[in-house]
Amino acid sequence: VESPTFDIDHISLRKVGTDTDDKNSQIERSTNDFADVSIVLETKIDAKTCKLTGKCSPIYSVLRVIKFSPNFDKDKTVYTAGVQGLWRSTDRGLTFERLSGIPRAVGERCSKCDMSKTGWTGRDIVSLSFSPQFAKDGTMVALSQTSYSITDKFKRYISVSTDRGVTWTDMVGKKWVSDYRRWTSAVITAGPNSSAGLTVVATQFEEIYDRIYINQASTWTILKAPKHIGVGLERGGYSGYGIVLLPSKELIISLWGRGIVAGKINNAAAKLNNVHTYDTPHFGGDSSLPGSANEKTMNELVMVSPDKRHNGVIFGVSKQDIYASVNKGATWEKVLTIPFRKPRIGSKSLR
């Protein structure tokens, strides 16, 4: 992920590796297109420390999110998050500190943790979203889950922070909603200091179909927008791979398989105006796994360029290609193809 000021500082951050090693729990930093790298964050707790302190990592400790602050040129802040919670850097990604303010969740688990001793948050953070006025209000929302078990009663949570990620409050209970719903994506469409007040739009799976909800004045209501019939969590409906807000207030929501729903958000009326459904390439590849599965270590595959010079260009990532749209998702053009490399085949000589 390149910094919003990449043309000046050339800062890039990335996560590499698979679910069979620990590299996917590390952040690498470079200022020369990864010709040289430095490991600036290692989140996996080693076995020796685990045994001595009781603070242990889950079996899968992958990082899923790398997000530069919308005000990066001023606050120098970067966030990264995943199975073990949230980290923040305030020095352009040179060092990171752990922010463990995501509330503990019912049903949290860690097979190698003594939960009475560990500082693990118990939350797997799937995505982060910033307020459009983040520089002034410091507001963020996080979408998280407790585990991968389909038997869990509580699956997904939306939490809000108004102090740049230090402390968090779940949007549940009497103040928000009475239950923990199967949220699949969330985005802030208006900050707490706006005329509409804090407004969050989120997609939710409901048994056989997906719907879009909007939260204003601590109340969740159904947004007047298309509902999509699916055959299971994140299958057939809103994919969770991308929900973005353009500078022009258009809301873009990615669909499972291919396609997006686009419309201009009317916060006051809790409605999407001028709704369109556009065909797109198959963003997210061809896996039928939900976006939060272990193998899906990076979920935000539809996003708006943070570079203001691009004026709201949307980028989407398929299994092997990167696409761009300059007309709010109506049409897409391939801008990069990742070369396919055949698997290496070893040889063995017999003597």
Side-chain angles (χ1 to χ4, degrees), residues 12-272:
S12 299
L13 300 176
R14 73 179 182 184
K15 176 188 67 65
V16 298
T18 67
D19 57 3
T20 61
D21 58 38
D22 294 339
K23 291 183 179 179
N24 59 16
S25 61
Q26 301 174 354
I27 295 294
E28 294 182 350
R29 183 182 190 272
S30 177
T31 54
N32 59 1
D33 292 328
F34 296 103
D36 301 293
V37 301
S38 57
I39 299 175
V40 293
L41 176 65
E42 296 179 83
T43 65
K44 182 79 170 184
I45 300 173
D46 63 83
K48 183 178 179 180
T49 301
C50 171
K51 184 176 180 179
L52 289 174
T53 67
K55 295 182 177 180
C56 310
S57 294
I59 296 175
Y60 299 104
S61 55
V62 298
L63 290 168
R64 302 187 188 278
V65 181
I66 301 174
K67 276 289 189 73
F68 286 88
S69 162
N71 197 37
F72 179 75
D73 59 335
K74 298 291 194 306
D75 62 26
K76 307 175 184 178
T77 299
V78 190
Y79 294 88
T80 185
V83 171
Q84 294 184 109
L86 177 68
W87 283 261
R88 180 180 65 179
S89 169
T90 55
D91 57 7
R92 300 183 182 273
L94 289 170
T95 61
F96 284 81
E97 63 173 335
R98 188 177 184 203
L99 301 178
S100 55
I102 297 287
R104 289 186 178 277
V106 177
E108 66 185 0
R109 64 189 62 176
C110 178
S111 61
K112 295 184 179 180
C113 289
D114 179 346
M115 295 308 293
S116 65
K117 297 179 181 179
T118 185
W120 184 51
T121 63
R123 294 292 185 88
D124 173 5
I125 299 176
V126 177
S127 67
L128 293 173
S129 173
F130 298 106
S131 163
Q133 296 84 35
F134 181 77
K136 295 182 178 179
D137 60 40
T139 300
M140 308 164 61
V141 295
L143 180 67
S144 62
Q145 61 186 6
T146 54
S147 76
Y148 317 109
S149 172
I150 61 174
T151 61
D152 284 349
K153 182 178 179 181
F154 303 131
K155 289 290 290 186
R156 303 287 181 84
Y157 306 77
I158 296 177
S159 307
V160 60
S161 171
T162 56
D163 56 9
R164 303 179 189 277
V166 177
T167 60
W168 295 80
T169 301
D170 281 343
M171 300 177 73
V172 295
K174 293 182 179 179
K175 184 178 180 181
W176 302 103
V177 291
S178 58
D179 62 329
Y180 295 79
R181 305 184 181 195
R182 290 178 180 260
W183 303 110
T184 54
S185 61
V187 66
I188 301 176
T189 59
N193 299 328
S194 66
S195 58
L198 176 61
T199 305
V200 176
V201 173
T203 56
Q204 178 198 0
F205 170 68
E206 292 183 333
E207 300 302 329
I208 61 171
Y209 56 84
D210 289 4
R211 303 205 69 153
I212 308 175
Y213 278 75
I214 186 169
N215 186 296
Q216 290 179 305
S218 304
T219 301
W220 287 102
T221 56
I222 295 175
L223 188 71
K224 297 174 183 176
K227 69 178 182 180
H228 281 265
I229 305 298
V231 294
L233 182 60
E234 295 177 338
R235 293 171 169 83
Y238 298 110
S239 71
Y241 283 147
I243 178 171
V244 296
L245 183 70
L246 299 180
S248 55
K249 303 304 180 185
E250 268 82 10
L251 189 69
I252 307 293
I253 306 173
S254 178
L255 297 175
W256 185 267
R258 58 188 300 142
I260 60 171
V261 170
K264 192 156 189 175
I265 185 73
N266 184 329
N267 291 318
K271 182 180 180 181
L272 273 184

